[in-house]
Amino acid sequence: MNILDQKFAEFHELPTEEKIEYFSKNGRLFDMIISQQLNREIIDNIYEITNRIRHISKTRAGSFFLQNILFHKRVMLYFAQPSSRTFLSFENACHILGMKTSEIRDARVSSEVKGESFDDSLRTFSSYTDLIIMRHKGQDMAERAAWLMNTRTNRPVPIINGGSGSDQHPTQAMLDVYTLQYSFAKQGGLDGKTIMMCGDLKRGRTVRSLSYLLKNFEDVKIIYAAPQAFQMKEDVCSFLEKHKIPFHIETEALDNVLSEADAIYMTRIQDEHDAIAGESGKTDTSRFKLKPSDMTKIRPSAIIMHPFPRRDEIDVAIDSDPRAMYWRQERNGMWIRAALIAYIFNVHEEILNY
Ligand code: CP
């Protein structure tokens, strides 16, 4: 372990509240690393900006206006793990705001293959750009990048976590909650709703970030539906208990709880995290898939979500059901990410006043 590894390990052990301070500057959101950084005021503010950007983008004049907002800023998209949605939605969000983008989509084309460390690579990206948006297969690497910027560089740039290991994916949770609020707009929003999450809850970073973010809403209930081997980890369950958010664990079958949910959030098995290749396949997940015959058991007002990519957790025949919200959900990601970037750069008032 080198000196940086030791110092980061000390930082990593700090209480979450101290880290949240650390990821802020002048009392404002600077880095976006974990869902716990977001309170209701920030969430509502970002959703208001999202709605404005969506609306303004509809016209040519509006698009020109938005493209001037961050015309002077450059962004690095460092995606050292495969991505379709997060990469493309962030790239297009940056373009909506006029930012110039650079990218590394595969660590094999970075000087990391010559032995350069992650830390040196990140410092290099920050030499040329004003924001780093990153995805990494390693645990806590976005947190490490933010720590590195704040302690080891003269030119710290904000870090946005586009998915780190099996830990968190906070901007996915932001677009998920936006989709929930939008879908339930005529039913009082997300407050008072029951959200069921199904699939690989143990290693799914989207469901972890979403669970943390739900703390900001009133009377929300959670159902975790997965075989025991893929059930939600203790850290998230303890968080929910601490914040008095009721949750129910279902390990037998999705069928048992389908009718109780206002939102059904399906996820795939994250077998890229298998310690031994193929070990996920040893657990029977057949009773945790959504089939066309299940649609009569789901509430008429319920919505079906998925962060994607999917395999066979949701039968494609369900795509044409009006309750299937996952295609709209992924498009929402572009708007919400543009709003988040505008908020971090503190240019959102211009957008709200347009
Ligand atoms: N939801 C999500 O993170 O998708 P990608 O892996 O395609 O970015």
Side-chain angles (χ1 to χ4, degrees):
M1 201 185 248
N2 66 30
I3 182 73
L4 291 185
D5 292 340
Q6 278 172 26
K7 289 196 174 299
F8 177 66
E10 285 165 25
F11 172 79
H12 185 62
E13 290 309 314
L14 289 176
T16 303
E17 291 309 317
E18 282 188 46
K19 289 189 198 173
I20 290 171
E21 285 290 310
Y22 202 85
F23 300 143
S24 307
K25 274 216 180 359
N26 304 320
R28 297 195 78 258
L29 196 69
F30 185 75
D31 306 300
M32 180 69 263
I33 307 298
I34 54 174
S35 283
Q36 297 95 310
Q37 288 175 260
L38 299 167
N39 59 34
R40 186 68 184 258
E41 190 186 344
I42 298 175
I43 293 168
D44 288 347
N45 209 334
I46 291 175
Y47 291 171
E48 190 186 354
I49 304 161
T50 305
N51 289 336
R52 286 299 292 154
I53 290 175
R54 278 177 69 161
H55 182 74
I56 294 169
S57 299
K58 288 184 198 298
T59 65
R60 187 179 162 90
S63 291
F64 272 128
F65 163 77
L66 287 171
Q67 281 172 31
N68 210 28
I69 288 281
L70 287 172
F71 184 77
H72 56 304
K73 296 289 182 188
R74 293 181 299 278
V75 58
M76 177 67 195
L77 292 152
Y78 172 56
F79 276 62
Q81 196 190 29
S83 167
S84 295
R85 276 145 291 273
T86 311
F87 178 85
L88 288 171
S89 59
F90 263 124
E91 184 181 45
N92 283 286
C94 292
H95 293 166
I96 286 169
L97 299 172
M99 301 175 91
K100 317 308 179 283
T101 53
S102 305
E103 64 183 62
I104 286 182
R105 296 207 62 180
D106 186 336
R108 285 175 300 180
V109 297
S110 143
S111 279
E112 287 170 273
V113 288
K114 300 178 210 158
E116 183 164 74
S117 67
F118 172 84
D119 296 352
D120 286 355
S121 294
L122 265 286
R123 285 191 71 160
T124 300
F125 303 152
S126 73
S127 296
Y128 306 127
T129 60
D130 305 294
L131 167 68
I132 297 172
I133 301 168
M134 60 173 284
R135 165 172 290 195
H136 206 283
K137 70 176 189 307
Q139 203 76 356
D140 305 314
M141 295 309 268
E143 183 178 310
R144 179 159 183 145
W147 168 81
L148 188 80
M149 286 297 131
N150 287 326
T151 54
R152 315 298 298 188
T153 70
N154 298 326
R155 190 176 180 278
V157 303
I159 302 288
I160 298 180
N161 178 4
S164 63
S166 57
D167 182 31
Q168 283 224 27
H169 193 350
T171 63
Q172 176 71 44
M174 291 172 80
L175 77 91
D176 293 339
V177 166
Y178 178 80
T179 304
L180 287 159
Q181 285 279 73
Y182 202 81
S183 303
F184 296 130
K186 291 185 179 144
Q187 302 161 56
L190 176 48
D191 294 330
K193 302 295 183 296
T194 298
I195 314 302
M196 189 185 69
M197 302 180 207
C198 179
D200 192 342
L201 310 177
K202 183 178 170 186
R203 304 174 296 185
R205 56 196 175 198
T206 65
V207 285
R208 291 173 55 78
S209 286
L210 179 56
S211 299
Y212 285 122
L213 202 56
L214 290 178
K215 166 190 159 273
N216 295 291
F217 295 84
E218 300 293 326
D219 301 323
V220 168
K221 296 185 194 65
I222 298 176
I223 301 171
Y224 290 132
Q228 192 58 52
F230 294 126
Q231 266 298 339
M232 186 53 83
K233 284 202 224 167
E234 179 54 33
D235 57 346
V236 173
C237 294
S238 297
F239 175 88
L240 298 178
E241 278 162 6
K242 182 176 163 198
H243 293 282
K244 302 195 175 8
I245 301 165
F247 63 97
H248 168 76
I249 290 180
E250 169 60 46
T251 58
E252 292 300 316
L254 176 61
D255 219 20
N256 292 345
V257 284
L258 265 182
S259 64
E260 294 171 33
D262 294 298
I264 296 156
Y265 189 103
M266 303 297 292
T267 64
R268 72 179 168 88
I269 299 303
Q270 311 276 316
D271 48 16
E272 66 269 39
H273 297 298
D274 279 0
I276 303 164
E279 70 177 353
S280 289
K282 292 183 183 145
T283 301
D284 179 12
T285 55
S286 60
R287 301 191 75 187
F288 293 91
K289 297 180 197 295
L290 204 55
K291 306 177 292 302
S293 58
D294 290 325
M295 298 312 285
T296 54
K297 302 168 196 158
I298 295 173
R299 293 178 181 178
S301 60
I303 62 167
I304 302 161
M305 300 173 70
H306 196 310
F308 277 11
R310 76 172 148 185
R311 289 176 183 158
D312 61 352
E313 311 81 44
I314 301 179
D315 190 297
V316 292
I318 293 171
D319 291 5
S320 54
D321 190 293
R323 291 168 290 183
M325 207 53 67
Y326 27 90
W327 296 109
R328 193 174 294 179
Q329 179 187 356
E330 74 171 16
R331 184 165 165 80
N332 286 343
M334 179 175 71
W335 305 121
I336 185 94
R337 286 169 170 137
L340 172 68
I341 293 167
Y343 185 81
I344 286 175
F345 280 101
N346 206 6
V347 292
H348 53 285
E349 290 298 338
E350 265 184 84
I351 296 171
L352 293 174
N353 292 330
Y354 176 74

